[in-house]
Amino acid sequence: MWVVNHRKILFAIIGTLIVLSLLSFFGWGLHFGIEYTGGSLLEVNYPGGRPDTTVVQSELAPLNLGNYLLQPTGDSSYVLKTGELSETQHEAVKNALSQGGKVTIEEKNFTSIGPVVGSELKRKAIIAIVLVILCIVLFIAFAFRKVSEPVSSWKYGVVAVITLMHDIAIPAGVYGLLVHFHGAQIDILFTTALLAVLGISINDTIVVFDRIRENLRLNREGRGKEPFDQIVGRSLKQTYLRSFNTSFTVILVLFSLFLLGGETTKNFALTLLVGMVAGTYSSIFFASPLLVTLWKAQDKK
Amino acid sequence: MVKTRVIAILLLAVTALLAFFLWTSEHNPASRFHFRLGLDLKGGTALTYKADVSKIDPSKVSEAMSTLRDVIERRVNLFGVSEPVVQVEAGGVVGSKEAAERLIVELPGVTDIKQAIDLIGKTPLLEFKLVQTVTTALPKLVNGKLEVSVDSASTTQQLVDTGLTGSLLSKASLEFNQNSSAPVVSLEFNSEGKDLFAKITKANIGKPLAIVLDGNVISAPSIREEIKDGKAQITGQFTVKEAQTLVRDLNYGSLPVPVELISTQTIGATLGEKVLNSGVRAGLWGFLIVGLFLILWYRLPGVLAVVALVTYVVIMLTLFKVIPVTITSAGIAGFILSMGMAVDANVLIFERMKEELRNGRALEDAMHEGFARAWLSIRDGNLSGIIASIILFWLGTSLVKGFALTLGIGILVSMFTAIVITRTYLFALGVKSQGGVAKFLFGSGITK
């Protein structure tokens, strides 16, 4: 199959995409949400129309909030991000935003997180990602333990993990764009989305691997002499449509979540969506050709 | 065949019953089984406290935390907030040195944080400490040399923990001094506290014992004799009102460990409602699109997969009510995602069926083979999803936990609906003929 035969070109394209994504994610600097850094976020709505940014800024000036970020959001709301606020400071800020009670405000959302919690969550997120990847390699090596010829089962695990790294690198890259151009932040939901992509996007890779496993068995039982790369190619040909379809149903629901779901889960849905798309093409264009490359490399030895 | 049909009808009936349960329990205000909405959907306040357990024997930490939870829960309940949630979260992570224990208090409907913090009340930590006078002599520079001279010695007073705290109280009450009519808070220790108090007083006769409330020394009377009956009085410069509050707080239960507020979150009710509505709408549309895709692509089996998907949704919603699962915005997202994944098994089975048909098998054989051969890839794919959701649940914050739980349960339930239920319905229909109709119903995409 052409996917297996032209794998070098595919690797070049996918490699470029990964590099671009990493550049986009890390290159513009990481902007962590307050869950990870500690700090406060206050969202207020002005039912009677939102005052000018400069007005609000001048009201906030006497409070000495240090570095803060004031963003208009929605039709008539502001989001204010500051360092961690105590309850007294919180009351003072609300008072300033309502211009001493002259303007009605509705507090839609207030979150204040201590720095300790933040750094702890960051550590947890990293542990979780490493743990999920590790568990999946072990699991795949175990699930494919009976197919150690001609490629040993742990190599399936390694290929799955390299594919997974790609599957989270691409959504991270797109998120990098969101961070840079739309003021999104690396928050809990973003990490959750990456973790979910890790768990789900592996499915269609497994569909293809499972078929390779089956075809290898049939080949051995029939005493066939079909080389490994052709078996991989044939397995791909037999399964790429269903591998696409399983992801397609997930992509459909994510699309509706992205378009219609609440504001809070919009970026979350987009990250998942990109991750699923990446997971789908990588299982066809990346994982299986990679398996063949590993086989070729061990053949030369 | 007859057996399969009976089972299929039973399955349909159970689904209908569950759907009926969902409908009636939601519309009956007295029902115990309403959907439990998280704070982010109905508005309210969440407070996270850090409990300082550094002074507690590690083996007793979980006991102290559950006492703390009970005490705070009692306080919250006193104020009549509906469905408050008070839970302990072990914050310690592998590799973190700090043994952090957390207490999370969720107060639905309370959007005023100040009110919420007051509601939980001042958290009195009552301790009894021995006062020790320590003499220290500071070295001093005399003619370029360090010397210790007697006149530079200074005495400082140090408070020494005795292990006697408010958690060992059985009762506090307000009394008045007979002579001065000043308010006095009288304390009675429980049996453990009584023994400890007797021991401390016996060993330290003549020394002052400081009564410390939230780190401030209220008074430090001298111990005159061993006190065996476990009774003590706090006389301080209280007003009557202060004394009353102290008695109230001590009786609600003073906290076994000091706590510190480390994070707060408030969500307005209108925002929550908007998030909920758009979540439900996204779910409905997601369901419709996936259903349409399945029917257009797989025809008759696709229709059955949609029936199985309805069953999936009904079972999931019932589980949400019965377990109960607190539904958050991330939980809704997880549920919508899981609908897309729930039909994955169907897709794999149907594709395999078509493949077997294409290879020239009879329809019934192809159906059997389709289910049997797709199983391995369904199992392996879903297991990796389950692994991820277990880790997410284990390490996540409450928001992420909701997502992980939904995803995990969703994968398990979908394996049942997509395999067992679809299979039963498909065989119950008993389409056997090889005629054009059957070919049309099953054979989309088969040109041969």
Coordinates of all heavy atoms in Angstrom, one line a residue, chain B residues 138-202:
Chain B
L138 N 22.8 36.3 75.2 CA 23.3 36.6 73.9 C 24.7 37.0 74.0 O 25.1 37.8 74.8 CB 22.4 37.7 73.3 CG 21.0 37.4 73.1 CD1 20.2 38.6 72.7 CD2 20.8 36.3 72.0
P139 N 25.5 36.5 73.1 CA 26.9 36.9 73.1 C 27.0 38.3 72.6 O 26.2 38.8 71.8 CB 27.6 35.9 72.1 CG 26.4 35.3 71.3 CD 25.2 35.4 72.1
K140 N 28.0 39.0 73.1 CA 28.1 40.4 72.8 C 29.5 40.8 72.4 O 30.5 40.1 72.8 CB 27.8 41.2 74.1 CG 27.1 42.5 73.9 CD 26.7 43.1 75.3 CE 26.2 44.5 75.2 NZ 26.0 45.0 76.6
L141 N 29.7 41.8 71.6 CA 31.0 42.2 71.2 C 31.6 43.1 72.2 O 31.1 44.2 72.5 CB 31.0 42.9 69.8 CG 31.2 42.1 68.6 CD1 31.1 43.0 67.4 CD2 32.5 41.4 68.6
V142 N 32.6 42.6 72.9 CA 33.3 43.5 73.8 C 34.8 43.6 73.4 O 35.5 42.6 73.4 CB 33.2 42.9 75.3 CG1 33.9 43.8 76.3 CG2 31.7 42.7 75.6
N143 N 35.2 44.8 73.2 CA 36.6 45.0 72.7 C 37.0 44.0 71.6 O 38.1 43.4 71.6 CB 37.6 44.9 73.9 CG 37.3 45.8 75.0 OD1 36.8 46.9 74.7 ND2 37.6 45.5 76.2
G144 N 36.1 43.9 70.7 CA 36.5 43.0 69.5 C 36.3 41.6 69.8 O 36.6 40.8 68.9
K145 N 35.9 41.1 71.0 CA 35.8 39.7 71.2 C 34.3 39.4 71.5 O 33.6 40.3 72.1 CB 36.6 39.3 72.4 CG 38.1 39.2 72.2 CD 38.7 38.7 73.4 CE 40.3 38.8 73.4 NZ 40.8 38.7 74.7
L146 N 34.0 38.2 71.3 CA 32.6 37.8 71.6 C 32.6 37.4 73.1 O 33.4 36.5 73.5 CB 32.2 36.6 70.7 CG 31.5 37.0 69.4 CD1 31.1 35.7 68.7 CD2 30.3 37.9 69.6
E147 N 31.8 38.0 73.8 CA 31.7 37.6 75.2 C 30.3 37.4 75.7 O 29.4 38.1 75.1 CB 32.3 38.7 76.1 CG 33.8 38.5 76.3 CD 34.4 39.5 77.2 OE1 33.6 40.2 77.9 OE2 35.6 39.7 77.2
V148 N 30.1 36.5 76.6 CA 28.8 36.3 77.2 C 28.8 36.9 78.5 O 29.5 36.5 79.4 CB 28.4 34.9 77.2 CG1 27.0 34.7 77.8 CG2 28.4 34.2 75.8
S149 N 28.0 38.0 78.7 CA 28.0 38.6 80.0 C 26.6 38.4 80.6 O 25.6 38.3 79.9 CB 28.4 40.0 80.0 OG 27.4 40.7 79.2
V150 N 26.5 38.4 81.9 CA 25.3 38.1 82.6 C 24.2 39.2 82.3 O 23.0 38.9 82.2 CB 25.5 38.0 84.1 CG1 24.2 37.6 84.8 CG2 26.6 36.9 84.3
D151 N 24.7 40.4 82.2 CA 23.7 41.5 82.1 C 23.0 41.5 80.7 O 21.9 42.2 80.6 CB 24.3 42.9 82.4 CG 25.5 43.1 81.4 OD1 26.5 42.5 81.7 OD2 25.3 43.9 80.5
S152 N 23.6 40.8 79.7 CA 22.9 40.8 78.4 C 21.8 39.7 78.4 O 21.1 39.5 77.4 CB 23.9 40.6 77.3 OG 24.4 39.3 77.3
A153 N 21.8 38.8 79.4 CA 20.8 37.7 79.4 C 19.4 38.2 79.4 O 19.1 39.2 80.1 CB 21.1 36.8 80.5
S154 N 18.6 37.6 78.6 CA 17.2 38.0 78.7 C 16.3 36.8 78.9 O 16.7 35.7 78.5 CB 16.8 38.7 77.3 OG 16.9 37.8 76.3
T155 N 15.2 37.0 79.4 CA 14.3 35.9 79.6 C 13.1 36.0 78.6 O 12.6 37.1 78.4 CB 13.7 35.9 81.0 OG1 13.1 37.1 81.2 CG2 14.8 35.6 82.0
T156 N 12.8 34.9 78.0 CA 11.6 34.9 77.1 C 10.7 33.8 77.5 O 11.1 32.9 78.2 CB 12.0 34.6 75.6 OG1 12.9 33.5 75.6 CG2 12.7 35.8 75.0
Q157 N 9.5 34.0 77.2 CA 8.5 33.0 77.6 C 8.1 32.2 76.4 O 7.8 32.7 75.3 CB 7.3 33.7 78.2 CG 7.6 34.3 79.5 CD 6.4 34.6 80.3 OE1 5.4 35.1 79.8 NE2 6.4 34.4 81.6
Q158 N 8.1 30.9 76.5 CA 7.8 30.0 75.4 C 6.6 29.2 75.8 O 6.4 28.8 76.9 CB 8.9 29.0 75.2 CG 9.9 29.5 74.2 CD 11.0 28.5 73.8 OE1 11.2 27.5 74.6 NE2 11.6 28.6 72.7
L159 N 5.7 29.0 74.7 CA 4.5 28.2 75.0 C 4.8 26.8 74.5 O 5.4 26.6 73.4 CB 3.4 28.8 74.2 CG 2.9 30.1 74.6 CD1 1.8 30.6 73.7 CD2 2.4 30.1 76.1
V160 N 4.5 25.8 75.4 CA 4.8 24.4 75.0 C 3.5 23.7 74.9 O 2.7 23.7 75.7 CB 5.7 23.8 76.1 CG1 6.0 22.4 75.8 CG2 6.9 24.6 76.4
D161 N 3.4 23.0 73.8 CA 2.2 22.2 73.5 C 2.0 21.1 74.6 O 3.0 20.5 75.0 CB 2.3 21.4 72.2 CG 1.9 22.4 71.0 OD1 1.2 23.3 71.3 OD2 2.3 22.1 69.9
T162 N 0.8 20.9 75.0 CA 0.5 19.9 76.0 C -0.3 18.8 75.3 O -0.5 17.7 75.9 CB -0.3 20.4 77.1 OG1 -1.5 21.0 76.6 CG2 0.5 21.5 77.9
G163 N -0.8 19.0 74.1 CA -1.7 18.0 73.5 C -3.1 18.1 73.9 O -4.0 17.5 73.4
L164 N -3.4 19.0 74.9 CA -4.8 19.3 75.3 C -5.4 20.3 74.4 O -4.9 21.5 74.4 CB -4.7 19.7 76.8 CG -6.1 19.8 77.5 CD1 -6.7 18.4 77.5 CD2 -5.9 20.3 78.9
T165 N -6.4 20.0 73.7 CA -7.0 21.0 72.8 C -8.5 20.9 72.9 O -9.1 20.1 73.6 CB -6.7 20.7 71.3 OG1 -7.3 19.4 71.0 CG2 -5.2 20.7 71.0
G166 N -9.2 21.8 72.2 CA -10.6 21.9 72.3 C -11.3 20.6 71.8 O -12.5 20.4 72.0
S167 N -10.5 19.8 71.0 CA -11.2 18.6 70.5 C -11.5 17.6 71.6 O -12.2 16.6 71.4 CB -10.3 17.9 69.4 OG -9.0 17.6 70.0
L168 N -10.9 17.8 72.8 CA -11.1 16.9 73.9 C -12.2 17.4 74.8 O -12.4 16.9 75.9 CB -9.8 16.6 74.7 CG -8.7 16.0 73.9 CD1 -7.4 16.0 74.7 CD2 -9.0 14.7 73.3
L169 N -12.9 18.4 74.4 CA -14.0 19.0 75.2 C -15.2 18.2 75.1 O -15.5 17.7 74.0 CB -14.3 20.4 74.8 CG -13.4 21.6 75.2 CD1 -14.0 22.9 74.7 CD2 -13.4 21.6 76.7
S170 N -16.0 18.0 76.2 CA -17.3 17.4 76.0 C -18.4 18.5 76.0 O -19.4 18.4 75.4 CB -17.6 16.4 77.0 OG -17.7 17.0 78.3
K171 N -18.1 19.6 76.7 CA -19.1 20.6 76.8 C -18.5 22.0 77.2 O -17.5 22.1 77.9 CB -20.1 20.2 77.9 CG -21.5 20.9 77.8 CD -22.4 20.4 78.9 CE -22.6 21.4 80.0 NZ -23.3 20.8 81.2
A172 N -19.1 23.0 76.7 CA -18.7 24.4 77.1 C -20.0 25.1 77.5 O -21.0 24.9 76.8 CB -18.0 25.1 76.0
S173 N -19.9 25.9 78.5 CA -21.1 26.7 78.9 C -20.8 28.1 79.4 O -19.7 28.3 79.8 CB -22.0 25.9 79.9 OG -21.2 25.6 81.0
L174 N -21.7 28.9 79.3 CA -21.5 30.3 79.7 C -22.0 30.5 81.2 O -23.1 30.1 81.5 CB -22.3 31.2 78.8 CG -22.3 32.7 79.2 CD1 -20.9 33.3 79.0 CD2 -23.3 33.5 78.3
E175 N -21.1 31.0 82.0 CA -21.5 31.3 83.4 C -21.1 32.7 83.8 O -20.4 33.3 83.0 CB -20.9 30.3 84.4 CG -21.5 28.9 84.3 CD -20.7 27.8 85.0 OE1 -19.8 28.2 85.8 OE2 -21.0 26.6 84.8
F176 N -21.5 33.1 84.9 CA -21.1 34.5 85.3 C -20.4 34.4 86.7 O -20.8 33.6 87.6 CB -22.3 35.4 85.4 CG -22.9 35.7 84.1 CD1 -23.9 34.9 83.6 CD2 -22.3 36.7 83.3 CE1 -24.4 35.2 82.3 CE2 -22.9 37.0 82.0 CZ -23.9 36.2 81.5
N177 N -19.4 35.1 86.8 CA -18.6 35.2 88.1 C -19.5 35.8 89.2 O -20.2 36.8 88.9 CB -17.4 36.1 87.9 CG -16.5 36.0 89.1 OD1 -16.9 36.3 90.2 ND2 -15.3 35.7 88.9
Q178 N -19.6 35.0 90.3 CA -20.6 35.5 91.3 C -20.2 36.8 91.9 O -21.1 37.6 92.3 CB -20.6 34.4 92.5 CG -21.4 33.2 92.1 CD -21.2 32.0 93.0 OE1 -20.2 32.0 93.7 NE2 -22.0 31.1 92.9
N179 N -19.0 37.2 92.0 CA -18.6 38.5 92.6 C -18.7 39.6 91.6 O -19.4 40.6 91.8 CB -17.2 38.4 93.1 CG -17.1 37.3 94.2 OD1 -18.0 37.0 94.9 ND2 -15.9 36.6 94.1
S180 N -18.0 39.4 90.4 CA -17.9 40.6 89.5 C -19.0 40.5 88.4 O -19.1 41.5 87.6 CB -16.5 40.6 88.9 OG -16.4 39.4 88.1
S181 N -19.7 39.4 88.4 CA -20.7 39.2 87.3 C -20.2 39.3 85.9 O -20.8 39.5 85.0 CB -22.0 40.0 87.5 OG -21.7 41.4 87.1
A182 N -18.8 39.0 85.8 CA -18.2 39.0 84.5 C -18.5 37.6 83.9 O -18.6 36.6 84.6 CB -16.7 39.2 84.6
P183 N -18.6 37.6 82.5 CA -18.9 36.3 81.9 C -17.7 35.3 82.0 O -16.5 35.8 81.8 CB -19.2 36.7 80.5 CG -18.5 38.0 80.3 CD -18.5 38.7 81.6
V184 N -18.0 34.1 82.2 CA -16.9 33.0 82.4 C -17.3 31.9 81.5 O -18.5 31.5 81.5 CB -16.9 32.6 83.8 CG1 -15.9 31.4 83.9 CG2 -16.5 33.7 84.8
V185 N -16.4 31.4 80.7 CA -16.7 30.2 79.9 C -16.2 29.0 80.7 O -15.0 28.9 81.0 CB -16.1 30.3 78.5 CG1 -16.3 29.0 77.8 CG2 -16.6 31.5 77.8
S186 N -17.1 28.1 81.0 CA -16.7 26.9 81.8 C -16.6 25.7 80.8 O -17.5 25.6 80.0 CB -17.5 26.7 83.0 OG -18.7 26.1 82.7
L187 N -15.6 24.9 81.0 CA -15.3 23.8 80.1 C -15.4 22.5 80.8 O -15.0 22.4 82.0 CB -13.9 24.0 79.5 CG -13.6 25.3 78.9 CD1 -12.1 25.4 78.5 CD2 -14.4 25.6 77.6
E188 N -15.8 21.5 80.1 CA -15.8 20.2 80.7 C -15.1 19.3 79.7 O -15.5 19.2 78.5 CB -17.2 19.7 81.0 CG -17.4 19.0 82.3 CD -18.9 18.8 82.6 OE1 -19.6 19.7 82.9 OE2 -19.3 17.6 82.4
F189 N -14.1 18.5 80.1 CA -13.4 17.7 79.2 C -14.0 16.3 79.1 O -14.7 15.9 80.1 CB -11.9 17.5 79.6 CG -11.1 18.8 79.4 CD1 -10.8 19.6 80.5 CD2 -10.7 19.1 78.2 CE1 -10.1 20.8 80.3 CE2 -10.0 20.3 78.0 CZ -9.7 21.1 79.1
N190 N -13.8 15.6 78.0 CA -14.2 14.2 78.0 C -13.2 13.4 78.7 O -12.2 13.9 79.3 CB -14.4 13.8 76.5 CG -13.1 13.9 75.7 OD1 -12.0 13.9 76.3 ND2 -13.2 13.9 74.4
S191 N -13.5 12.1 78.8 CA -12.6 11.2 79.7 C -11.2 11.3 79.3 O -10.3 11.4 80.2 CB -13.1 9.8 79.7 OG -13.0 9.3 78.4
E192 N -10.9 11.3 78.0 CA -9.5 11.4 77.6 C -8.9 12.7 78.0 O -7.8 12.8 78.5 CB -9.4 11.2 76.1 CG -8.0 11.0 75.5 CD -8.0 11.1 74.0 OE1 -9.1 10.8 73.4 OE2 -7.0 11.4 73.4
G193 N -9.7 13.8 77.8 CA -9.2 15.1 78.2 C -9.0 15.3 79.7 O -8.1 15.9 80.1
K194 N -9.9 14.6 80.4 CA -9.9 14.7 81.9 C -8.6 14.1 82.4 O -7.9 14.7 83.2 CB -11.1 13.9 82.4 CG -11.3 14.2 83.9 CD -12.8 13.8 84.2 CE -12.9 12.4 84.5 NZ -14.3 12.0 84.8
D195 N -8.2 12.9 81.9 CA -7.0 12.3 82.3 C -5.7 13.1 82.0 O -4.8 13.3 82.8 CB -6.8 10.9 81.6 CG -7.9 9.9 82.1 OD1 -8.5 10.2 83.1 OD2 -8.1 8.9 81.4
L196 N -5.8 13.7 80.7 CA -4.6 14.5 80.3 C -4.5 15.7 81.1 O -3.4 16.1 81.5 CB -4.8 14.8 78.8 CG -3.7 15.5 78.1 CD1 -2.4 14.6 78.2 CD2 -4.0 15.7 76.6
F197 N -5.7 16.3 81.4 CA -5.7 17.6 82.2 C -5.1 17.3 83.6 O -4.3 18.1 84.1 CB -7.1 18.1 82.2 CG -7.3 19.5 82.7 CD1 -6.4 20.5 82.3 CD2 -8.3 19.9 83.6 CE1 -6.5 21.8 82.7 CE2 -8.4 21.2 84.0 CZ -7.5 22.1 83.6
A198 N -5.6 16.1 84.2 CA -5.1 15.8 85.5 C -3.6 15.6 85.5 O -2.9 16.1 86.4 CB -5.8 14.5 86.0
K199 N -3.1 14.9 84.5 CA -1.7 14.7 84.4 C -0.9 16.0 84.3 O 0.1 16.2 84.9 CB -1.4 13.8 83.1 CG -0.3 12.8 83.3 CD -0.2 11.9 82.1 CE 0.8 12.5 81.1 NZ 0.7 11.8 79.8
I200 N -1.4 16.9 83.4 CA -0.7 18.1 83.2 C -0.6 19.0 84.5 O 0.4 19.5 84.9 CB -1.3 18.9 82.0 CG1 -1.2 18.2 80.7 CG2 -0.7 20.3 81.9 CD1 -2.1 18.7 79.6
T201 N -1.8 19.0 85.1 CA -1.9 19.9 86.3 C -1.0 19.3 87.4 O -0.4 20.0 88.2 CB -3.3 20.1 86.8 OG1 -4.0 18.8 86.8 CG2 -4.1 21.0 85.8
K202 N -1.0 18.0 87.5 CA -0.2 17.3 88.6 C 1.3 17.6 88.4 O 2.0 17.9 89.4 CB -0.5 15.8 88.6 CG 0.1 15.1 89.8 CD -0.3 13.6 89.7 CE 0.4 12.9 90.9 NZ 0.2 11.5 90.7

